[in-house]
Amino acid sequence: MRIEILGTPFNGLGSPPDIENPAEGLRRAGLLPLLSSKGHTVDDLGDLSGFQFREIHDPGTGIKDFEMWIDISTSLSRECEAILSRGAFPLLLGGDCSMLVGILSAFAQKDSDVGLIFLDGHADFHSPETSPSGDPADMELSIVTGRGPRGITHVAGKFPLLKEEDIVVYGIRAWDQIAASNIRVYDRHRMAERGIKSVVEEGLAHLTQRGIPLWLHFDVDVIDPTLMPVMFPESGGLSFEETHEFLSLVWASGRIAGMSVACYHPALDADGSAGSRLVTLIADVLSSRA
């Protein structure tokens, strides 16, 4: 498989100039050579650059770096669309989950429908009014379903970017207002109760009815914080083994058009052990038989 890797540095967490670069952390952990060793052709496109984060709340919306979010989404959309047009598999390394607006905008620009498999410890379904921080990563899932300021909900000229029925959410422990939507949710408790294979099969059956490609979004804070140090830990997360099972089952559908990995924090991973396990997980999943 030909994989093109792009880093998206916006993580909405650090204070300038000390913004982390999670994508570079995954590179240092050996992701690229590991993928190459498994037979993939890997092109590293570097990182989106030229963005200066100021952590200032937009007076009109209350969202941090709102205009920057729009600019990054537009730039990321252009880059992701180009990868897809070249017939490569996009592997986007964040950064935080706010990158989903740019990713899904790429499909809108191609006039292509897409579904979303969303694996995360948090539902990210706040509005600007309910978000405790105003971070874009608190609310991107509500934004892509058409809730929020017009400047970001209409960034690609398609509204909404995704229909609620084209999203399945897995692994959350923090619901973040998503219960007010009609999105299908398998939280951590439901996954444990019913088994990973059962909920993946059910969710995929729901999404594949329309025959559309799927985007796989993986926020590493779905993993238990005793195993994966993250900025906003929620106890009771998945083990690495459970995460591997989930991702492998989703990958085996043969419907995944691209993947994003969010919220790995190299600054919190002092000995690099979590990053090492993470890149092994990603490479193993993408190398398993679809």
Side-chain angles (χ1 to χ4, degrees), residues 209-229:
Q209 289 175 0
R210 293 187 56 207
I212 56 177
L214 304 177
W215 187 272
L216 174 56
H217 181 72
F218 170 31
D219 184 331
V220 304
D221 72 14
V222 76
I223 299 173
D224 194 84
T226 61
L227 304 170
M228 175 61 65

Side-chain angles (χ1 to χ4, degrees), residues 60-212:
T61 66
I63 299 173
K64 286 183 183 177
D65 288 315
F66 180 60
E67 294 299 327
M68 188 67 63
W69 190 14
I70 294 172
D71 291 344
I72 288 176
S73 297
T74 302
S75 179
L76 180 55
S77 173
R78 184 168 54 248
E79 295 293 333
C80 189
E81 182 185 3
I83 296 171
L84 292 166
S85 296
R86 289 191 290 268
F89 182 85
L91 178 56
L92 305 187
L93 308 177
D96 65 27
C97 301
S98 63
M99 63 179 165
L100 274 175
V101 174
I103 292 166
L104 297 171
S105 294
F107 287 90
Q109 297 296 344
K110 289 174 61 65
D111 196 26
S112 174
D113 289 335
V114 66
L116 176 64
I117 299 284
F118 184 87
L119 180 66
D120 198 320
H122 308 80
D124 297 350
F125 207 79
H126 279 292
S127 67
E129 292 75 28
T130 65
S131 168
S133 66
D135 280 336
D138 276 353
M139 61 188 79
E140 82 285 339
L141 207 55
S142 66
I143 293 295
V144 301
T145 55
R147 299 165 171 85
R150 182 180 178 87
I152 191 70
T153 58
H154 289 70
V155 69
K158 177 183 178 181
F159 179 85
L161 284 173
L162 276 186
K163 299 174 183 176
E164 292 186 6
E165 59 263 33
D166 290 336
I167 303 170
V168 181
V169 170
Y170 290 95
I172 62 169
R173 283 94 77 201
W175 279 71
D176 296 347
Q177 315 296 319
I178 200 170
S181 77
N182 293 313
I183 293 172
R184 185 177 293 248
V185 177
Y186 299 92
D187 68 357
R188 174 63 174 118
H189 174 74
R190 196 172 179 192
M191 291 176 74
E193 184 177 63
R194 292 190 48 194
I196 290 173
K197 187 173 187 293
S198 173
V199 297
V200 168
E201 288 177 345
E202 186 172 286
L204 284 172
H206 167 74
L207 284 176
T208 55
Q209 289 175 0
R210 293 187 56 207
I212 56 177

Side-chain angles (χ1 to χ4, degrees), residues 215-255:
W215 187 272
L216 174 56
H217 181 72
F218 170 31
D219 184 331
V220 304
D221 72 14
V222 76
I223 299 173
D224 194 84
T226 61
L227 304 170
M228 175 61 65
V230 293
M231 190 67 69
F232 299 108
E234 295 283 344
S235 62
L238 300 180
S239 67
F240 270 97
E241 292 77 17
E242 289 171 316
T243 307
H244 187 284
E245 180 185 3
F246 175 91
L247 294 174
S248 296
L249 287 166
V250 171
W251 180 252
S253 71
R255 306 297 295 276

